[in-house]
Coordinates of all heavy atoms in Angstrom, one line a residue:
M1 N 28.3 19.6 -9.7 CA 27.8 19.2 -8.4 C 28.8 19.5 -7.3 O 30.0 19.2 -7.5 CB 27.5 17.7 -8.4 CG 26.2 17.3 -9.0 SD 25.9 15.5 -8.6 CE 24.3 15.4 -9.3
R2 N 28.3 19.9 -6.2 CA 29.1 20.0 -5.0 C 29.4 18.7 -4.4 O 28.8 17.7 -4.7 CB 28.4 20.9 -4.0 CG 28.2 22.3 -4.4 CD 27.5 23.2 -3.4 NE 26.7 22.3 -2.5 CZ 25.7 22.8 -1.8 NH1 25.3 24.0 -1.9 NH2 25.0 22.0 -1.0
D3 N 30.5 18.7 -3.5 CA 30.9 17.4 -2.9 C 29.7 16.8 -2.1 O 29.5 15.6 -2.1 CB 32.1 17.6 -1.9 CG 33.3 17.9 -2.7 OD1 33.4 17.5 -3.9 OD2 34.3 18.4 -2.1
D4 N 28.9 17.6 -1.4 CA 27.8 17.1 -0.6 C 26.8 16.5 -1.5 O 26.2 15.4 -1.2 CB 27.1 18.2 0.2 CG 28.0 18.6 1.4 OD1 28.9 17.9 1.8 OD2 27.8 19.8 1.9
D5 N 26.5 17.1 -2.7 CA 25.6 16.6 -3.6 C 26.0 15.3 -4.2 O 25.2 14.4 -4.4 CB 25.3 17.6 -4.8 CG 24.6 18.9 -4.3 OD1 24.0 18.8 -3.2 OD2 24.7 19.9 -5.0
V6 N 27.3 15.2 -4.5 CA 27.9 14.0 -5.1 C 27.7 12.8 -4.1 O 27.3 11.7 -4.4 CB 29.4 14.2 -5.5 CG1 30.0 12.8 -5.8 CG2 29.4 15.1 -6.6
R7 N 28.1 13.1 -2.8 CA 27.9 12.1 -1.8 C 26.5 11.6 -1.6 O 26.1 10.5 -1.5 CB 28.5 12.6 -0.4 CG 29.9 12.2 -0.2 CD 30.4 12.5 1.2 NE 31.4 13.6 1.0 CZ 31.3 14.8 1.5 NH1 30.3 15.1 2.3 NH2 32.2 15.7 1.3
Q8 N 25.6 12.6 -1.6 CA 24.1 12.4 -1.4 C 23.7 11.5 -2.6 O 22.9 10.5 -2.4 CB 23.4 13.7 -1.4 CG 21.9 13.5 -1.2 CD 21.5 13.4 0.3 OE1 22.3 13.6 1.1 NE2 20.3 12.9 0.5
H9 N 24.1 11.9 -3.8 CA 23.7 11.1 -5.0 C 24.2 9.7 -5.0 O 23.5 8.8 -5.3 CB 24.1 11.9 -6.3 CG 23.7 11.2 -7.5 ND1 22.4 11.2 -8.0 CD2 24.4 10.6 -8.5 CE1 22.3 10.6 -9.1 NE2 23.5 10.2 -9.4
S10 N 25.5 9.6 -4.6 CA 26.1 8.3 -4.5 C 25.4 7.4 -3.5 O 25.1 6.2 -3.7 CB 27.6 8.4 -4.1 OG 28.2 7.1 -4.0
L11 N 25.0 7.9 -2.3 CA 24.3 7.2 -1.3 C 22.9 6.8 -1.8 O 22.5 5.7 -1.7 CB 24.2 8.0 -0.1 CG 23.5 7.4 1.1 CD1 24.2 6.2 1.6 CD2 23.4 8.4 2.3
W12 N 22.2 7.7 -2.5 CA 20.9 7.4 -3.1 C 21.0 6.3 -4.1 O 20.2 5.4 -4.1 CB 20.3 8.7 -3.7 CG 19.0 8.4 -4.4 CD1 17.8 8.4 -3.8 CD2 18.8 8.1 -5.8 NE1 16.8 8.1 -4.7 CE2 17.4 7.9 -5.9 CE3 19.7 7.9 -6.9 CZ2 16.9 7.6 -7.2 CZ3 19.1 7.6 -8.1 CH2 17.7 7.4 -8.2
R13 N 22.0 6.4 -5.0 CA 22.2 5.3 -6.0 C 22.4 4.0 -5.4 O 21.9 3.0 -5.8 CB 23.3 5.6 -6.9 CG 23.0 6.7 -8.0 CD 24.2 6.8 -8.9 NE 24.5 5.6 -9.5 CZ 24.3 5.3 -10.8 NH1 23.8 6.2 -11.6 NH2 24.6 4.1 -11.3
H14 N 23.2 3.9 -4.3 CA 23.5 2.7 -3.6 C 22.2 2.1 -3.0 O 21.9 0.9 -3.2 CB 24.6 2.8 -2.5 CG 24.8 1.6 -1.7 ND1 25.4 0.5 -2.3 CD2 24.5 1.3 -0.5 CE1 25.5 -0.4 -1.4 NE2 24.9 0.0 -0.2
R15 N 21.5 2.9 -2.3 CA 20.2 2.4 -1.7 C 19.2 2.0 -2.8 O 18.5 1.0 -2.7 CB 19.6 3.5 -0.8 CG 20.3 3.7 0.4 CD 19.7 4.7 1.3 NE 20.4 5.0 2.5 CZ 20.3 6.0 3.2 NH1 19.4 6.9 2.9 NH2 21.1 6.2 4.3
Y16 N 19.1 2.8 -3.8 CA 18.2 2.6 -4.9 C 18.4 1.3 -5.6 O 17.6 0.4 -5.7 CB 18.2 3.7 -5.9 CG 17.4 3.6 -7.1 CD1 16.1 3.9 -7.1 CD2 18.0 3.1 -8.3 CE1 15.3 3.7 -8.2 CE2 17.2 3.0 -9.5 CZ 15.9 3.3 -9.4 OH 15.1 3.1 -10.5
H17 N 19.7 1.0 -6.0 CA 20.0 -0.2 -6.7 C 20.1 -1.4 -5.8 O 20.0 -2.5 -6.3 CB 21.3 0.0 -7.5 CG 21.2 1.0 -8.6 ND1 20.5 0.7 -9.7 CD2 21.7 2.2 -8.8 CE1 20.5 1.7 -10.5 NE2 21.2 2.6 -10.0
A18 N 20.3 -1.2 -4.5 CA 20.3 -2.3 -3.6 C 18.9 -2.9 -3.4 O 18.8 -4.1 -3.0 CB 20.9 -1.9 -2.2
T19 N 17.9 -2.2 -3.6 CA 16.5 -2.7 -3.3 C 15.7 -2.9 -4.6 O 14.6 -3.4 -4.5 CB 15.8 -1.7 -2.4 OG1 15.7 -0.4 -3.1 CG2 16.4 -1.6 -1.1
M20 N 16.2 -2.5 -5.7 CA 15.5 -2.7 -7.0 C 15.9 -3.9 -7.7 O 17.0 -4.4 -7.6 CB 15.7 -1.5 -7.9 CG 15.2 -0.2 -7.3 SD 13.4 -0.1 -7.4 CE 13.1 1.4 -6.6
H21 N 14.9 -4.5 -8.5 CA 15.2 -5.6 -9.4 C 14.8 -5.2 -10.8 O 13.8 -4.6 -11.0 CB 14.4 -6.8 -8.9 CG 14.8 -7.3 -7.6 ND1 15.8 -8.1 -7.3 CD2 14.2 -7.0 -6.4 CE1 15.9 -8.4 -6.1 NE2 15.0 -7.7 -5.4
R22 N 15.7 -5.5 -11.7 CA 15.4 -5.2 -13.1 C 14.4 -6.2 -13.7 O 14.4 -7.4 -13.5 CB 16.7 -5.3 -13.9 CG 16.6 -4.9 -15.4 CD 17.9 -4.9 -16.0 NE 18.8 -3.9 -15.4 CZ 18.9 -2.6 -15.8 NH1 18.1 -2.2 -16.8 NH2 19.7 -1.8 -15.2
T23 N 13.5 -5.6 -14.5 CA 12.6 -6.5 -15.3 C 12.3 -5.9 -16.6 O 12.7 -4.7 -16.9 CB 11.2 -6.6 -14.5 OG1 10.4 -7.6 -15.1 CG2 10.5 -5.3 -14.4
T24 N 11.7 -6.6 -17.5 CA 11.5 -6.1 -18.9 C 10.0 -6.1 -19.1 O 9.3 -7.0 -18.8 CB 12.1 -7.1 -19.9 OG1 13.5 -7.2 -19.6 CG2 11.9 -6.6 -21.3
L25 N 9.5 -5.0 -19.7 CA 8.1 -4.9 -20.1 C 8.0 -4.9 -21.6 O 8.8 -4.2 -22.3 CB 7.6 -3.6 -19.5 CG 7.5 -3.4 -18.0 CD1 7.0 -2.0 -17.7 CD2 6.6 -4.5 -17.4
M26 N 7.0 -5.5 -22.1 CA 6.7 -5.4 -23.5 C 5.5 -4.5 -23.7 O 4.4 -4.8 -23.1 CB 6.3 -6.8 -24.1 CG 7.5 -7.9 -23.9 SD 8.9 -7.5 -24.8 CE 8.4 -7.8 -26.4
L27 N 5.7 -3.4 -24.3 CA 4.6 -2.4 -24.5 C 4.3 -2.1 -25.9 O 5.3 -2.1 -26.7 CB 5.1 -1.0 -23.8 CG 5.3 -1.0 -22.3 CD1 5.9 0.3 -22.0 CD2 4.1 -1.3 -21.6
P28 N 3.1 -1.9 -26.3 CA 2.8 -1.5 -27.6 C 3.5 -0.1 -27.9 O 3.7 0.7 -27.0 CB 1.2 -1.3 -27.6 CG 0.8 -2.1 -26.5 CD 1.9 -2.1 -25.5
E29 N 3.8 0.1 -29.1 CA 4.6 1.3 -29.5 C 3.8 2.6 -29.0 O 4.4 3.5 -28.5 CB 4.8 1.3 -31.0 CG 5.8 2.5 -31.4 CD 6.1 2.4 -32.9 OE1 5.8 1.3 -33.5 OE2 6.7 3.3 -33.4
E30 N 2.5 2.6 -29.2 CA 1.7 3.8 -28.9 C 1.8 4.1 -27.4 O 2.0 5.2 -26.9 CB 0.3 3.6 -29.3 CG -0.6 4.7 -28.9 CD -2.1 4.4 -29.2 OE1 -2.4 3.7 -30.1 OE2 -2.9 4.9 -28.4
V31 N 1.7 3.0 -26.5 CA 1.8 3.2 -25.1 C 3.2 3.7 -24.7 O 3.3 4.6 -23.9 CB 1.5 1.9 -24.4 CG1 1.7 2.0 -22.9 CG2 0.0 1.5 -24.6
R32 N 4.2 3.1 -25.3 CA 5.6 3.5 -25.0 C 5.8 5.0 -25.4 O 6.4 5.8 -24.6 CB 6.6 2.7 -25.8 CG 8.0 3.0 -25.4 CD 9.0 2.6 -26.4 NE 8.7 3.4 -27.6 CZ 9.1 3.0 -28.8 NH1 9.7 1.8 -29.0 NH2 8.8 3.7 -29.9
D33 N 5.2 5.4 -26.5 CA 5.4 6.8 -26.9 C 4.7 7.8 -26.0 O 5.2 8.8 -25.6 CB 4.9 7.0 -28.4 CG 5.8 6.3 -29.4 OD1 6.9 5.9 -29.1 OD2 5.3 6.1 -30.5
R34 N 3.4 7.4 -25.6 CA 2.7 8.2 -24.6 C 3.4 8.3 -23.3 O 3.5 9.4 -22.7 CB 1.3 7.6 -24.4 CG 0.4 7.8 -25.7 CD -0.9 7.1 -25.6 NE -1.6 7.3 -24.3 CZ -2.4 6.4 -23.8 NH1 -2.7 5.3 -24.4 NH2 -3.0 6.6 -22.6
L35 N 4.0 7.2 -22.8 CA 4.7 7.1 -21.6 C 5.9 8.0 -21.7 O 6.3 8.8 -20.8 CB 5.1 5.7 -21.3 CG 5.8 5.4 -20.0 CD1 4.9 5.8 -18.8 CD2 6.2 4.0 -19.9
R36 N 6.6 8.0 -22.8 CA 7.8 8.8 -23.0 C 7.5 10.3 -23.0 O 8.2 11.1 -22.3 CB 8.5 8.4 -24.3 CG 9.8 9.1 -24.6 CD 10.5 8.7 -25.8 NE 11.0 7.3 -25.6 CZ 11.2 6.4 -26.5 NH1 10.9 6.6 -27.7 NH2 11.7 5.2 -26.1
R37 N 6.4 10.7 -23.6 CA 6.0 12.1 -23.6 C 5.6 12.5 -22.2 O 5.9 13.6 -21.8 CB 4.8 12.3 -24.6 CG 5.2 12.4 -26.0 CD 4.1 12.9 -26.9 NE 2.9 12.1 -26.9 CZ 2.7 11.0 -27.6 NH1 3.6 10.6 -28.5 NH2 1.5 10.3 -27.5
L38 N 4.8 11.7 -21.5 CA 4.4 12.0 -20.1 C 5.6 12.2 -19.2 O 5.7 13.1 -18.4 CB 3.5 11.0 -19.6 CG 2.9 11.2 -18.2 CD1 2.1 12.5 -18.1 CD2 2.0 10.0 -17.8
A39 N 6.6 11.3 -19.3 CA 7.8 11.4 -18.5 C 8.5 12.7 -18.8 O 9.0 13.4 -17.9 CB 8.7 10.2 -18.8
A40 N 8.6 13.0 -20.1 CA 9.3 14.3 -20.5 C 8.6 15.5 -19.9 O 9.2 16.4 -19.4 CB 9.5 14.3 -22.0
D41 N 7.3 15.5 -20.0 CA 6.5 16.6 -19.5 C 6.7 16.8 -18.0 O 6.7 17.9 -17.5 CB 5.0 16.4 -19.8 CG 4.7 16.6 -21.3 OD1 5.5 17.1 -22.0 OD2 3.5 16.1 -21.7
R42 N 6.8 15.7 -17.3 CA 6.9 15.7 -15.8 C 8.4 15.9 -15.4 O 8.7 16.1 -14.2 CB 6.3 14.5 -15.2 CG 4.8 14.5 -15.2 CD 4.2 13.4 -14.4 NE 4.8 13.2 -13.1 CZ 4.6 12.1 -12.4 NH1 3.8 11.1 -12.8 NH2 5.1 12.0 -11.2
G43 N 9.3 15.6 -16.3 CA 10.7 15.7 -16.0 C 11.2 14.6 -15.2 O 12.1 14.7 -14.4
V44 N 10.6 13.4 -15.4 CA 11.1 12.2 -14.7 C 11.3 11.1 -15.7 O 11.0 11.2 -16.9 CB 10.0 11.7 -13.6 CG1 9.8 12.7 -12.6 CG2 8.7 11.4 -14.3
S45 N 11.9 10.0 -15.2 CA 12.1 8.9 -16.2 C 10.9 8.0 -16.4 O 9.9 8.1 -15.6 CB 13.2 8.0 -15.6 OG 12.7 7.3 -14.4
M46 N 10.9 7.3 -17.5 CA 9.8 6.4 -17.8 C 9.7 5.3 -16.6 O 8.6 5.0 -16.2 CB 10.0 5.7 -19.1 CG 9.8 6.6 -20.3 SD 10.2 5.9 -21.9 CE 9.5 4.3 -21.9
A47 N 10.8 4.9 -16.1 CA 10.8 3.9 -15.1 C 10.1 4.5 -13.8 O 9.4 3.7 -13.1 CB 12.3 3.5 -14.7
T48 N 10.3 5.7 -13.5 CA 9.6 6.3 -12.4 C 8.1 6.3 -12.5 O 7.4 6.0 -11.6 CB 10.1 7.8 -12.2 OG1 11.5 7.7 -11.9 CG2 9.4 8.5 -11.0
L49 N 7.7 6.7 -13.7 CA 6.2 6.6 -14.0 C 5.7 5.2 -13.9 O 4.6 5.0 -13.3 CB 5.9 7.2 -15.4 CG 6.1 8.7 -15.6 CD1 5.7 9.0 -17.1 CD2 5.1 9.4 -14.7
I50 N 6.4 4.3 -14.4 CA 5.9 2.9 -14.3 C 5.9 2.4 -12.9 O 4.9 1.8 -12.5 CB 6.8 2.0 -15.2 CG1 6.7 2.3 -16.7 CG2 6.6 0.5 -14.9 CD1 7.7 1.7 -17.6
R51 N 6.9 2.7 -12.1 CA 6.9 2.3 -10.7 C 5.7 3.0 -9.9 O 5.1 2.3 -9.1 CB 8.2 2.7 -10.0 CG 9.3 1.7 -10.3 CD 10.5 2.0 -9.4 NE 11.1 3.3 -9.6 CZ 12.1 3.5 -10.5 NH1 12.5 2.5 -11.3 NH2 12.6 4.7 -10.7
E52 N 5.5 4.3 -10.2 CA 4.4 5.0 -9.6 C 3.0 4.3 -9.9 O 2.2 4.1 -9.0 CB 4.3 6.4 -10.0 CG 5.4 7.3 -9.4 CD 5.4 8.7 -10.0 OE1 4.6 9.0 -10.8 OE2 6.3 9.5 -9.5
A53 N 2.9 3.9 -11.2 CA 1.6 3.3 -11.6 C 1.5 1.9 -11.0 O 0.4 1.6 -10.5 CB 1.6 3.2 -13.1
I54 N 2.5 1.2 -10.9 CA 2.5 -0.2 -10.3 C 2.2 0.0 -8.8 O 1.4 -0.8 -8.2 CB 3.8 -1.0 -10.5 CG1 3.8 -1.3 -12.0 CG2 3.8 -2.2 -9.7 CD1 5.1 -1.9 -12.4
D55 N 2.9 0.9 -8.1 CA 2.6 1.1 -6.7 C 1.2 1.5 -6.4 O 0.5 1.0 -5.5 CB 3.5 2.2 -6.1 CG 4.9 1.8 -5.9 OD1 5.2 0.6 -5.9 OD2 5.8 2.7 -5.8
E56 N 0.6 2.4 -7.2 CA -0.8 2.8 -7.1 C -1.7 1.6 -7.3 O -2.7 1.4 -6.5 CB -1.1 3.9 -8.1 CG -2.4 4.5 -7.9 CD -2.6 5.6 -8.9 OE1 -1.7 6.5 -9.1 OE2 -3.7 5.7 -9.5
K57 N -1.5 0.8 -8.3 CA -2.3 -0.4 -8.5 C -2.2 -1.4 -7.4 O -3.3 -1.9 -6.9 CB -1.9 -1.0 -9.9 CG -2.7 -2.2 -10.3 CD -4.2 -1.8 -10.6 CE -4.9 -3.0 -11.1 NZ -6.3 -2.7 -11.4
V58 N -1.0 -1.7 -6.9 CA -0.8 -2.6 -5.9 C -1.5 -2.2 -4.6 O -2.1 -2.9 -3.8 CB 0.7 -2.9 -5.7 CG1 0.9 -3.7 -4.4 CG2 1.2 -3.7 -6.9
D59 N -1.4 -0.9 -4.3 CA -2.0 -0.3 -3.1 C -3.5 -0.4 -3.1 O -4.1 -0.6 -2.0 CB -1.5 1.1 -2.9 CG -0.1 1.3 -2.5 OD1 0.5 0.2 -2.0 OD2 0.5 2.4 -2.5
K60 N -4.1 -0.3 -4.2 CA -5.6 -0.4 -4.4 C -6.1 -1.8 -4.4 O -7.3 -2.0 -4.1 CB -6.0 0.3 -5.6 CG -5.9 1.8 -5.6 CD -6.4 2.4 -6.9 CE -6.3 3.9 -6.9 NZ -6.8 4.5 -8.1
T61 N -5.2 -2.8 -4.6 CA -5.7 -4.2 -4.7 C -5.8 -4.8 -3.4 O -4.8 -4.8 -2.6 CB -4.7 -5.0 -5.6 OG1 -4.6 -4.3 -6.9 CG2 -5.2 -6.4 -5.8
R62 N -6.9 -5.4 -3.1 CA -7.1 -6.1 -1.8 C -7.0 -7.6 -2.1 O -7.5 -8.1 -3.0 CB -8.4 -5.8 -1.2 CG -8.6 -4.4 -0.8 CD -10.0 -4.2 -0.2 NE -10.2 -2.8 0.1 CZ -11.4 -2.3 0.3 NH1 -12.4 -3.1 0.3 NH2 -11.5 -1.0 0.6
P63 N -6.3 -8.4 -1.2 CA -6.3 -9.8 -1.3 C -7.6 -10.4 -1.1 O -8.5 -10.0 -0.3 CB -5.3 -10.3 -0.3 CG -5.3 -9.2 0.7 CD -5.6 -7.9 0.0
V64 N -7.9 -11.5 -1.9 CA -9.2 -12.2 -1.7 C -9.1 -13.0 -0.4 O -8.1 -13.8 -0.2 CB -9.4 -13.2 -2.9 CG1 -10.6 -14.0 -2.7 CG2 -9.5 -12.4 -4.2
P65 N -10.1 -12.9 0.5 CA -10.0 -13.7 1.7 C -9.9 -15.2 1.4 O -10.6 -15.7 0.5 CB -11.3 -13.4 2.4 CG -11.8 -12.1 1.8 CD -11.3 -12.1 0.4
R66 N -9.1 -15.9 2.2 CA -8.9 -17.3 1.9 C -10.1 -18.1 2.3 O -10.3 -19.2 1.8 CB -7.7 -17.8 2.8 CG -6.4 -17.3 2.3 CD -5.3 -17.9 3.2 NE -4.0 -17.7 2.5 CZ -2.9 -18.1 3.0 NH1 -2.9 -18.7 4.2 NH2 -1.8 -17.9 2.4
S67 N -11.0 -17.6 3.1 CA -12.2 -18.3 3.6 C -13.3 -18.4 2.5 O -14.2 -19.2 2.6 CB -12.8 -17.7 4.8 OG -13.2 -16.3 4.5
L68 N -13.2 -17.6 1.4 CA -14.2 -17.7 0.4 C -14.2 -19.0 -0.3 O -13.1 -19.4 -0.7 CB -14.0 -16.5 -0.6 CG -14.4 -15.1 -0.1 CD1 -14.2 -14.1 -1.2 CD2 -15.8 -15.0 0.4
G69 N -15.3 -19.6 -0.4 CA -15.4 -20.9 -1.2 C -15.1 -22.1 -0.3 O -15.2 -23.2 -0.8
I70 N -14.8 -21.9 0.9 CA -14.6 -23.1 1.8 C -15.8 -24.0 1.8 O -15.7 -25.2 1.8 CB -14.1 -22.7 3.2 CG1 -12.7 -22.2 3.1 CG2 -14.2 -23.8 4.2 CD1 -12.2 -21.7 4.4
G71 N -17.0 -23.4 2.0 CA -18.2 -24.2 2.1 C -18.9 -24.4 0.8 O -20.1 -24.7 0.7
A72 N -18.2 -24.3 -0.3 CA -18.8 -24.4 -1.6 C -19.3 -25.8 -1.9 O -18.6 -26.8 -1.6 CB -17.8 -24.0 -2.7
S73 N -20.6 -25.9 -2.3 CA -21.2 -27.2 -2.5 C -20.9 -27.7 -3.9 O -21.2 -28.9 -4.2 CB -22.7 -27.1 -2.3 OG -23.3 -26.3 -3.3
G74 N -20.5 -26.8 -4.8 CA -20.3 -27.3 -6.2 C -21.6 -27.1 -7.0 O -21.6 -27.2 -8.2
S75 N -22.7 -26.7 -6.4 CA -24.0 -26.5 -7.1 C -24.3 -25.0 -7.2 O -24.0 -24.3 -6.2 CB -25.1 -27.2 -6.4 OG -25.0 -28.6 -6.3
T76 N -24.8 -24.6 -8.3 CA -25.1 -23.2 -8.5 C -26.6 -22.9 -8.2 O -27.0 -21.8 -8.1 CB -24.8 -22.7 -9.9 OG1 -25.6 -23.6 -10.8 CG2 -23.4 -22.9 -10.2
D77 N -27.4 -24.0 -7.9 CA -28.8 -23.8 -7.7 C -29.2 -24.2 -6.3 O -30.4 -24.5 -6.0 CB -29.6 -24.5 -8.7 CG -29.4 -26.1 -8.6 OD1 -28.4 -26.5 -8.0 OD2 -30.2 -26.8 -9.1
T78 N -28.3 -24.1 -5.3 CA -28.6 -24.5 -3.9 C -29.8 -23.8 -3.3 O -30.6 -24.4 -2.7 CB -27.3 -24.4 -3.1 OG1 -26.3 -25.1 -3.7 CG2 -27.6 -24.9 -1.7
A79 N -29.8 -22.5 -3.5 CA -30.9 -21.7 -2.9 C -32.2 -22.1 -3.5 O -33.2 -22.2 -2.8 CB -30.6 -20.2 -3.1
R80 N -32.3 -22.2 -4.8 CA -33.6 -22.6 -5.4 C -34.0 -24.0 -5.0 O -35.2 -24.2 -4.6 CB -33.4 -22.6 -7.0 CG -34.8 -22.9 -7.7 CD -34.6 -23.0 -9.2 NE -33.5 -24.0 -9.6 CZ -33.7 -25.3 -9.6 NH1 -34.8 -25.9 -9.2 NH2 -32.7 -26.1 -10.0
R81 N -33.1 -24.9 -4.9 CA -33.5 -26.3 -4.5 C -33.9 -26.3 -3.0 O -34.9 -27.0 -2.7 CB -32.3 -27.3 -4.7 CG -32.1 -27.6 -6.1 CD -31.0 -28.7 -6.3 NE -29.8 -28.4 -5.7 CZ -29.2 -29.1 -4.8 NH1 -29.7 -30.2 -4.3 NH2 -28.0 -28.7 -4.3
T82 N -33.3 -25.5 -2.2 CA -33.6 -25.5 -0.8 C -35.1 -24.9 -0.7 O -35.8 -25.4 0.2 CB -32.7 -24.6 0.0 OG1 -31.4 -25.1 -0.2 CG2 -33.0 -24.5 1.4
A83 N -35.4 -23.9 -1.4 CA -36.8 -23.4 -1.4 C -37.8 -24.4 -1.9 O -38.9 -24.4 -1.3 CB -36.8 -22.1 -2.2
E84 N -37.5 -25.2 -2.8 CA -38.4 -26.1 -3.4 C -38.6 -27.4 -2.5 O -39.6 -28.0 -2.5 CB -38.0 -26.5 -4.8 CG -38.1 -25.4 -5.8 CD -37.5 -25.8 -7.2 OE1 -36.9 -26.9 -7.3 OE2 -37.5 -25.0 -8.1
E85 N -37.5 -27.7 -1.8 CA -37.5 -29.0 -1.1 C -37.7 -28.8 0.4 O -37.1 -29.5 1.2 CB -36.2 -29.7 -1.4 CG -36.0 -30.0 -2.9 CD -34.6 -30.5 -3.1 OE1 -33.8 -30.8 -2.2 OE2 -34.2 -30.7 -4.3
R86 N -38.5 -27.9 0.8 CA -38.7 -27.6 2.2 C -39.4 -28.8 2.8 O -40.4 -29.3 2.3 CB -39.5 -26.4 2.4 CG -38.6 -25.2 2.3 CD -39.3 -24.0 2.9 NE -38.3 -23.0 2.6 CZ -38.1 -21.9 3.3 NH1 -38.9 -21.7 4.3 NH2 -37.2 -21.1 3.0
P87 N -38.9 -29.2 4.0 CA -39.6 -30.3 4.7 C -40.9 -29.8 5.3 O -41.1 -28.6 5.6 CB -38.6 -30.8 5.7 CG -37.7 -29.6 5.9 CD -37.7 -28.9 4.6
E88 N -41.8 -30.8 5.6 CA -43.0 -30.4 6.2 C -42.7 -29.9 7.7 O -41.9 -30.5 8.3 CB -44.0 -31.6 6.3 CG -44.5 -32.0 5.0 CD -45.4 -31.0 4.4 OE1 -46.2 -30.3 5.1 OE2 -45.4 -30.7 3.2
P89 N -43.4 -28.9 8.1 CA -43.1 -28.4 9.5 C -43.5 -29.5 10.5 O -44.5 -30.1 10.3 CB -43.9 -27.1 9.6 CG -44.7 -27.0 8.3 CD -44.3 -28.0 7.4
R90 N -42.8 -29.6 11.5 CA -43.1 -30.6 12.6 C -43.9 -29.9 13.7 O -43.8 -28.7 13.9 CB -41.8 -31.1 13.2 CG -41.1 -32.0 12.2 CD -39.9 -32.6 12.9 NE -38.9 -31.6 13.1 CZ -37.8 -31.9 13.8 NH1 -37.5 -33.1 14.2 NH2 -36.9 -30.9 13.9
T91 N -44.7 -30.6 14.3 CA -45.5 -30.0 15.4 C -44.6 -30.0 16.6 O -43.7 -30.7 16.8 CB -46.7 -30.9 15.7 OG1 -46.3 -32.2 16.1 CG2 -47.7 -31.0 14.6
W92 N -44.9 -29.0 17.5 CA -44.1 -28.9 18.7 C -44.4 -29.8 19.8 O -43.8 -30.0 20.8 CB -44.2 -27.4 19.2 CG -43.6 -26.5 18.3 CD1 -44.2 -25.7 17.3 CD2 -42.2 -26.2 18.2 NE1 -43.2 -25.0 16.7 CE2 -42.0 -25.3 17.2 CE3 -41.1 -26.7 18.9 CZ2 -40.7 -24.8 16.9 CZ3 -39.8 -26.2 18.6 CH2 -39.7 -25.2 17.6
R93 N -45.5 -30.5 19.7 CA -46.0 -31.5 20.7 C -45.8 -32.9 20.3 O -45.8 -33.4 19.3 CB -47.4 -31.2 21.1 CG -47.5 -29.8 21.7 CD -48.9 -29.6 22.1 NE -49.0 -28.2 22.4 CZ -49.4 -27.7 23.5 NH1 -49.7 -28.4 24.5 NH2 -49.5 -26.4 23.6

């Protein structure tokens, strides 16, 4: 490596490790083997593939609105009961 490449790599390693957190995954052997083959075919690390997959999943996931369920009555048949228990219409006069 040239001096510029070494400096660039060192800077990248510092930024990379400063923002990453180590975690452990438990994978079935078959999944691990498939992941290892895919990483080798693409010329990247297994960790890179895992991060890409997680980023993709997180980007597609939308948070559930907090307002859902606020007016929940606890009954699952509210619409049916409302239709059956309609009050008599009142006259306008």
